[in-house]
Amino acid sequence: MNLFSFFKRKRRTYQASYTSYKGSRFSKRKPFTPTVTPVAQDRKSRRRAEKSGYLLIYLKLFFVFFGIGAGIYGLFFTALFEIQNIDVNGEADTLDEQTAVSAYLQDYLGDNLLLFSTSKHEKALLEQYGYLKTLDLDRDFFHTVVATLETYPAIANVRIEFEDGSTQFYMINELGLVSGVGTTLESLPLIVMDVTGTDMDLSTTSINEKLIAQETLIVLLETAKDFEGKFDMQILEIRYLKQARELHLLTERNFSVWIDLTQDLAIQLAKLKKALTELNIYEAALEYIDLRITGQNGEKVIYKLRTDDPI
């Protein structure tokens, strides 16, 4: 019995406890009393706040639109950006064009600089002066339009040979237009133009008039340059036979290479390159080499020595 009593739980007795408030201090703070606002008064406050907010918004919008309007008026309806000056710049050979461009732009004095379309007027001027390389118009704030003119530089001297034996010298630019009459530059290649048999009238040829077609000019100069590169031999004279449509290149060894402008130029020069195994153009006393003739295999080269004995 005692054995089982060992496993029995022992009863525990809990004693109730309490907190005494006798010695505690009571707070002197007044009790919270909620404030009740009448509904009518609350509505009036909200209405006044809304009116104040609307007024502030209206004021802000007014100042914004006023600022925009004042800005537009100042930019476009006052003298703030009025065109008052025309400044034209260019090379010495564009004096006539500078005068003409200045006269053209004078019509726009007093206009608004911001509304002046540079691209529109550049296009209109270039239609009249297409031989100019550049014609740029710019705005120089606040009152000036600046025009800059540039011509194409001369790239070749031209000597015209007439049937009566007379000659005339010109300089031409890359468009084939005359850039100088009666003058030459030693640094430029020389094109001798034979106009025999043509109706070409050069008696009235003046500056900026067409002398040689641009495509033809490119062919003449590039062929001469190509020959110098392939054969390491300087070309002294580019002879252009307009009627025959031929090109004769006079080399530093005083012989000419005849080329047909109606045939493939690269093939004709390739024929000569291949013929170097049999013909020493650097030592032979040649009068001319004719590449115009096409053989069965397309590689026929005819040449003549200075002894007048054709081979």
Side-chain angles (χ1 to χ4, degrees):
M1 192 70 179
N2 291 332
L3 178 63
F4 291 101
S5 64
F6 176 80
F7 293 100
K8 287 184 179 180
R9 286 186 178 180
K10 292 182 180 181
R11 288 184 178 180
R12 294 183 180 180
T13 302
Y14 294 93
Q15 185 175 3
S17 63
Y18 64 93
T19 303
S20 175
Y21 294 95
K22 290 182 179 181
S24 62
R25 293 183 180 180
F26 293 97
S27 173
K28 295 181 180 180
R29 187 171 56 184
K30 294 181 180 181
F32 172 75
T33 303
T35 303
V36 179
T37 304
V39 176
Q41 184 179 355
D42 185 55
R43 288 177 179 174
K44 289 181 180 180
S45 299
R46 283 202 301 253
R47 286 175 183 174
R48 282 197 299 268
E50 289 176 357
K51 288 181 179 180
S52 300
Y54 288 141
L55 180 61
L56 184 60
I57 292 174
Y58 292 147
L59 285 174
K60 289 182 178 179
L61 289 175
F62 171 77
F63 284 115
V64 168
F65 286 114
F66 179 80
I68 293 174
I72 293 174
Y73 181 81
L75 291 175
F76 300 107
F77 300 101
T78 66
L80 182 61
F81 289 98
E82 182 183 273
I83 298 176
Q84 300 175 359
N85 305 304
I86 303 297
D87 186 10
V88 181
N89 304 308
E91 301 166 341
D93 57 352
T94 62
L95 293 179
D96 293 339
E97 290 78 9
Q98 291 180 47
T99 302
V101 170
S102 179
Y104 173 90
L105 295 175
Q106 293 292 326
D107 294 339
Y108 298 93
L109 289 174
D111 287 4
N112 190 280
L113 187 64
L114 297 177
L115 299 178
F116 183 82
S117 175
T118 56
S119 58
K120 173 186 174 181
H121 294 292
E122 284 175 356
K123 182 179 179 181
L125 287 168
L126 283 174
E127 288 178 355
Q128 302 180 48
Y129 308 103
Y131 52 82
L132 293 175
K133 185 176 183 180
T134 58
L135 197 161
D136 295 330
L137 298 178
D138 296 299
R139 304 183 188 93
D140 187 8
F141 292 98
F142 292 88
H143 305 289
T144 305
V145 174
V146 180
T148 304
L149 283 63
E150 182 183 1
T151 57
Y152 288 94
I155 62 171
N157 299 316
V158 178
R159 185 176 77 230
I160 303 294
E161 294 184 349
F162 299 94
E163 292 187 53
D164 60 2
S166 62
T167 60
Q168 176 66 52
F169 285 92
Y170 300 91
M171 289 192 301
I172 59 175
N173 59 30
E174 62 186 72
L175 299 180
L177 304 178
V178 175
S179 60
V181 178
T183 59
T184 59
L185 286 175
E186 293 184 4
S187 59
L188 299 178
L190 173 62
I191 297 176
V192 179
M193 188 171 173
D194 187 345
V195 296
T196 302
T198 68
D199 58 356
M200 192 171 183
D201 182 13
L202 298 175
S203 59
T204 59
T205 300
S206 59
I207 299 296
N208 296 320
E209 290 191 12
K210 178 75 70 174
L211 189 63
I212 300 178
Q214 184 180 15
E215 297 79 9
T216 302
L217 177 62
I218 293 173
V219 169
L220 298 179
L221 296 178
E222 289 188 351
T223 303
K225 185 177 180 180
D226 194 22
F227 181 92
E228 290 179 337
K230 281 182 168 62
F231 300 98
D232 192 24
M233 190 175 295
Q234 184 181 1
I235 297 298
L236 303 178
E237 185 179 283
I238 304 169
R239 190 173 188 85
Y240 171 44
L241 284 69
K242 183 176 176 63
Q243 179 69 16
R245 301 183 68 182
E246 292 181 8
L247 169 62
H248 295 180
L249 300 177
L250 178 62
T251 70
E252 63 182 69
R253 289 192 52 79
N254 203 31
F255 68 85
S256 297
V257 179
W258 297 359
I259 297 173
D260 188 345
L261 292 175
T262 64
Q263 299 182 34
D264 190 299
L265 303 179
I267 292 177
Q268 295 178 72
L269 292 181
K271 287 195 303 182
L272 180 58
K273 191 73 173 178
K274 191 171 183 179
L276 291 180
T277 56
E278 300 178 1
L279 175 63
N280 189 345
I281 64 174
Y282 304 99
E283 296 181 0
L286 294 166
E287 182 177 337
Y288 68 81
I289 298 175
D290 190 350
L291 303 177
R292 303 170 302 165
I293 310 302
T294 302
Q296 293 182 351
N297 56 4
E299 298 179 354
K300 189 173 183 179
V301 176
I302 296 176
Y303 62 93
K304 181 180 179 180
L305 298 176
R306 290 201 191 103
T307 57
D308 296 331
D309 292 331
I311 298 179

